[in-house]
Amino acid sequence: MRGGRRRLRSSWSTWPSTGSSALGCDPGAGGLFTSGGSMANFTALAAARHRHCGDAVAAHGAAAHPAPLRVYASTETHHSIHKAAALLGIGRANVREIPVDAGFRMDVDALVRAIEEDRAAGAEPLCVVANAGTVVTGAVDPLAEIAAVARRYGLWMHVDACYGGFARLAPSARPLFDGMAAADSIALDPHKWLYLPADCGCLIYRDPEAARPAFSLDADYTRVMQTEPAEAFAFWDYGPDLSRRFRALKVWMALAHAGSRAVADAIEGNLDCARHVAELVDASPEFELLAPVELSIFCFRYLPPAARGGSRSEAVEEELDRLNERIMLALQQAGNSYLSNATINGRFALRGCVLNYRTTRRDMQILLDDVRRAAEEAIEEAA
Ligand SMILES: Cc1ncc(COP(=O)(O)O)c(C=O)c1O
């Protein structure tokens, strides 16, 4: 029993580093669990800001840093990055949004131009945030190219992999994540694609010691007396929390029970479901895909007969927006299938995200039948 408890304790404290090796990270990588992805993103930006500004800002506030700071992130980036910039005194307006390509991935040439412009104007580029699975379409930014830019300009590279990061475990998606391990920090949400209940985010630092000065404060009662690495790892020196709940237990239990192979298979199955919807949508004149399917998110819309084929006027586009919104509400009310909404290139999209290990291809076929039924109802009601 004693040995068992020791093993459990050591696995909960080292999971972010063993988990990180499954994500391709260096053996020295490590980190901590957080309440969720927003907090992991916030913590990463705090570490990045401290590395750039040093102790002056930590001690005297943002006014102690003379030049405006810049964080770079694509237009598709989750708003928790903007929120973190606001809370950290970097400023929401100093998150420079970089345009994306047709696949919703960051345009790396535009990133370089923005950095050069800002430097010439006297601003200080501090951090680039890359997405490994954007919240709206699931796009993965060109991580290796962004890592090379970060290295060239001395920027902290953070990857928001909250939604998509665990897809690296699935062989069919793995190449998308090349370059992720070069990042200074990676945010993940085990409460998304590790299938766990809410309240389990995770932040992995490539070099935890690079983050430590941002959080470590000498308080006598938190002095570490233990020497065994698992016992001596002082979480509070790597993030904002001191007292914390035992989040690692659910991660450990899920992996101990199912095994990482089963998780990888389940993620592969989710990816297959999303690709299957994309095939069905592409094959049917009733539907139109509005974004490429990169991971397990799919965005599409229903087209009534009059809107099929050929070009459409703005008035028809607006009518399609309204119809698809009614379809989504009807679907949600019927309660058999669930889709949320997204705006893709200004148009209303039905958005699905497959994140349940029980979901099958058959569910995808049922979903599209449900959408057809909801569309008929919505059209009849409007007539
Ligand atoms: C890409 C991305 N980043 C960050 C977050 C925030 O995660 P959380 O809700 O765990 O704070 C989300 C949530 O959907 C997300 O999709």
Side-chain angles (χ1 to χ4, degrees), residues 34-41 76-81 131-136 160-164 187-192 198-201 297 351:
T34 61
S35 52
S38 301
M39 198 59 187
N41 282 337
E76 300 300 301
T77 300
H78 190 265
H79 67 263
S80 55
I81 294 297
N131 289 298
T134 58
V135 58
V136 175
D160 180 349
C162 288
Y163 152 62
L188 294 157
D189 258 345
H191 69 204
K192 291 191 170 69
D199 196 334
C200 198
I297 294 176
R351 174 186 174 280

Side-chain angles (χ1 to χ4, degrees), residues 155-172:
L155 307 189
W156 181 286
M157 177 175 169
H158 173 62
V159 179
D160 180 349
C162 288
Y163 152 62
F166 289 108
R168 189 191 178 276
L169 301 177
S172 73

Side-chain angles (χ1 to χ4, degrees), residues 134-137 297-300 338-342 349-353:
T134 58
V135 58
V136 175
T137 68
I297 294 176
F298 50 92
C299 293
F300 69 109
Y338 183 89
L339 290 173
S340 65
N341 59 296
L350 301 167
R351 174 186 174 280
C353 180

